[in-house]
Amino acid sequence: MLERMELTTERLVLRPWKESDAESLYNYAKNPEVGPIAGWPVHTSVENSQEIIREVLSARETYAVCLKEDRIAVGSIGLMTGDASNLKLPDTEGEIGYWIGVPFWGRGFIPEAVNELVRHGFEDLGLKKIWCGYFEGNVKSKRVQEKCGFIYHHTNKDIPWKMMDDIRTEHVTCMSREDWLEIKGKR
């Protein structure tokens, strides 16, 4: 099996999920303010969270978002390339998804994690374009994408969303490698 890497930022460690993270995951993912707006159901138990770690969060390029000081998982971020994306992308493109527990909202952790995953996608994985999306009403996610330099691309109206068994409107943003290099040059 391929060794999964860790990414670090000024304040964060992005590391592979471990089954031992189930309690921490459940602690944040049981809050109804977190999952449903991001498109997934509230976690119902530590065992449910453990199953999600095994079946979903163990995917390649999916990371636990941890504060450097304690390395405890407080959120998640992933980069799904090609067929793994909901957007049916070519293998040279990826889609970022993310969330963080409510106690950590408004502290800039997710933009920091997104910027690192974008860097990783373009520099280490050689992607040509990275996509991101947010559901109608998810103002926090929209703001993260704007802060990180993603540009509005299109809206998918009235899409059936199986994980929540509802109909949603999704706004899709993207960033090309060229856009990223330009943003990086200005920082």
Side-chain angles (χ1 to χ4, degrees):
M1 190 169 143
L2 249 131
E3 180 63 30
R4 302 206 28 224
M5 70 179 341
E6 274 190 6
L7 303 169
T8 57
T9 68
E10 185 183 331
R11 302 178 294 166
L12 304 172
V13 173
L14 309 181
R15 62 162 174 78
W17 282 91
K18 304 177 292 205
E19 284 194 40
S20 58
D21 293 321
E23 204 167 303
S24 178
L25 173 59
Y26 175 64
N27 188 37
Y28 299 112
K30 69 184 178 187
N31 188 320
E33 289 185 78
V34 177
I37 198 156
W40 46 269
V42 170
H43 289 206
T44 55
S45 65
V46 172
E47 293 73 27
N48 174 226
S49 291
Q50 199 163 37
E51 185 181 333
I52 301 290
I53 290 170
R54 276 195 302 272
E55 295 177 11
V56 180
L57 301 177
S58 63
R60 201 173 131 255
E61 300 300 335
T62 299
Y63 301 90
V65 175
C66 309
L67 304 185
K68 267 186 177 172
E69 60 259 23
D70 60 16
R71 297 178 60 93
I72 294 171
V74 297
S76 186
I77 190 163
L79 181 61
M80 290 86 38
T81 54
D83 290 344
S85 162
N86 293 319
L87 300 172
K88 298 175 184 29
L89 302 173
D91 290 339
T92 57
E93 299 181 10
E95 175 189 6
I96 289 182
Y98 50 80
W99 65 267
I100 196 162
V102 174
F104 304 95
W105 286 7
R107 294 170 58 189
F109 292 128
I110 286 298
E112 190 173 319
V114 167
N115 285 330
E116 176 57 17
L117 207 55
V118 166
R119 183 211 58 77
H120 174 63
F122 288 132
E123 282 186 3
D124 304 332
L125 304 178
L127 297 178
K128 290 182 172 30
K129 191 176 276 190
I130 297 178
W131 299 81
C132 209
Y134 60 93
F135 292 118
E136 185 74 37
N138 193 343
V139 179
K140 288 175 179 56
S141 191
K142 175 185 181 183
R143 186 72 192 111
V144 166
Q145 291 167 45
E146 290 169 350
K147 273 185 188 172
C148 294
F150 283 84
I151 299 160
Y152 173 80
H153 188 271
H154 68 277
T155 296
N156 296 321
K157 286 188 182 293
D158 301 327
I159 54 171
W161 196 253
K162 287 185 185 132
M163 270 199 280
M164 294 298 291
D165 194 26
D166 62 12
I167 305 292
R168 296 183 171 228
T169 294
E170 179 183 33
H171 302 287
V172 180
T173 63
C174 67
M175 180 187 305
S176 69
R177 182 172 168 67
E178 292 72 27
D179 295 336
W180 174 72
L181 286 169
E182 192 175 314
I183 290 166
K184 190 178 148 195
K186 292 177 182 172
R187 286 189 178 150

